[in-house]
Amino acid sequence: RRCQHRSTAMLDVPFLPFCAFLGTLGLLCVAMVGTWCQHWRGGFSLDGSSRTFNWHPVLMVTGLVVLYGAAALVYRIPNTWSGPKLPWKVLHGGLALGAFVLTVLGLAAVFCFHNSQGTPNMYSLHSWMGLGTVLLFSCQWVAGFGAFLLPWAPAWLRALYKPIHVFFGSTILMLSVASCVSGINEKLFFSLKNGTTAYKLLPAEAVFANTLGLLILIFGVLVVGALARPSWKRPDSDSPDSRQ
């Protein structure tokens, strides 16, 4: 029993250092996807060319993964465990809304590129998964806004919807990670062929982008792990402050 207690204590990482590490990892993902598009894919533009497409991976990783992950972890901050919940609800909803806005801009970039190049839209598994994730995200935000931020939602409805909201929060994040990773792989397959070193020969761009995909996956897994950790969950309370 003592050995088991010591092992548990060793694994009991404080939340704030973990959160700092996770924030650093998220910023690294954003920096790497920006570097990939700038260094290997030609940079950014709004002229409908491939440089317009480059906004798509940057905005999707930033919004749908990193900023969404930050929104999901708001209620794991110990400062949110006491006092009124309304400011934290606004922060949670605001971060999620910011993630949604970036995601919509990322979709607009890829549709603009496809339409200007005469490329069909929505033909790959990546596109189906990505659009499905965004639609689910929009439903999640609207339902959460109606249930938790508007004052007229009854307490029984909030209690009924809360576990559903939490479940779909983690589900959307993992779908976002899967969409981004599949999109990176799809882009490499399309780009590293004619006139470039083949993908199967693993050029520097492929190594860099695959590393980015692994870091995005690790970020998503760590966020879901933090959401599932019982000691980091906000204690339930029946006080008026927690029900406001």
Side-chain angles (χ1 to χ4, degrees):
R1 290 181 179 177
R2 290 180 180 178
C3 182
Q4 182 179 6
H5 177 72
R6 289 175 183 175
S7 300
T8 304
M10 291 175 63
L11 295 174
D12 191 15
V13 180
F15 175 77
L16 292 181
F18 172 85
C19 194
F21 169 77
L22 199 59
T24 303
L25 180 58
L27 291 176
L28 179 60
C29 290
V30 174
M32 286 185 68
V33 69
T35 301
W36 176 35
C37 293
Q38 180 65 45
H39 181 71
W40 279 286
R41 297 289 100 217
F44 304 91
S45 177
L46 297 175
D47 58 1
S49 66
S50 60
R51 293 185 299 168
T52 299
F53 172 86
N54 289 340
W55 287 108
H56 175 68
V58 172
L59 292 172
M60 287 303 191
V61 171
T62 304
L64 206 54
V65 176
V66 177
L67 198 56
Y68 184 89
L73 290 176
V74 163
Y75 288 117
R76 298 303 184 268
I77 301 174
N79 295 344
T80 69
W81 293 3
S82 60
K85 290 178 65 176
L86 183 58
W88 301 106
K89 288 182 180 181
V90 172
L91 177 61
H92 174 73
L95 288 173
L97 181 60
F100 182 73
V101 170
L102 293 181
T103 300
V104 171
L105 292 176
L107 286 179
V110 70
F111 281 122
C112 177
F113 167 70
H114 283 175
N115 293 336
S116 65
Q117 301 296 317
T119 303
N121 292 307
M122 304 303 300
Y123 64 88
S124 67
L125 177 60
H126 162 69
S127 61
W128 294 358
M129 186 186 306
L131 186 60
T133 303
V134 175
L135 292 175
L136 189 59
F137 182 12
S138 62
C139 294
Q140 169 89 340
W141 194 91
V142 171
F145 179 80
F148 301 118
L149 274 175
L150 295 182
W152 54 73
W156 66 265
L157 179 61
R158 296 182 183 185
L160 179 66
Y161 177 62
K162 181 180 177 180
I164 300 174
H165 185 76
V166 172
F167 169 78
F168 277 105
S170 298
T171 300
I172 291 168
L173 178 62
M174 294 314 298
L175 287 174
S176 302
V177 169
S179 299
C180 288
V181 171
S182 64
I184 291 171
N185 194 245
E186 182 179 286
K187 183 62 176 177
L188 289 175
F189 272 119
F190 286 163
S191 301
L192 299 181
K193 47 182 183 180
N194 299 330
T196 64
T197 304
Y199 185 22
K200 64 182 180 181
L201 298 178
L202 205 64
E205 180 182 355
V207 174
F208 188 89
N210 286 341
T211 302
L212 168 63
L214 286 177
L215 292 179
I216 291 173
L217 180 61
I218 292 171
F219 179 87
V221 169
L222 290 178
V223 172
V224 172
L227 294 175
R229 191 178 181 90
S231 61
W232 288 350
K233 293 182 179 180
R234 177 188 171 105
D236 289 330
S237 174
D238 293 328
S239 66
D241 284 339
S242 68
R243 295 200 310 267
Q244 74 168 355

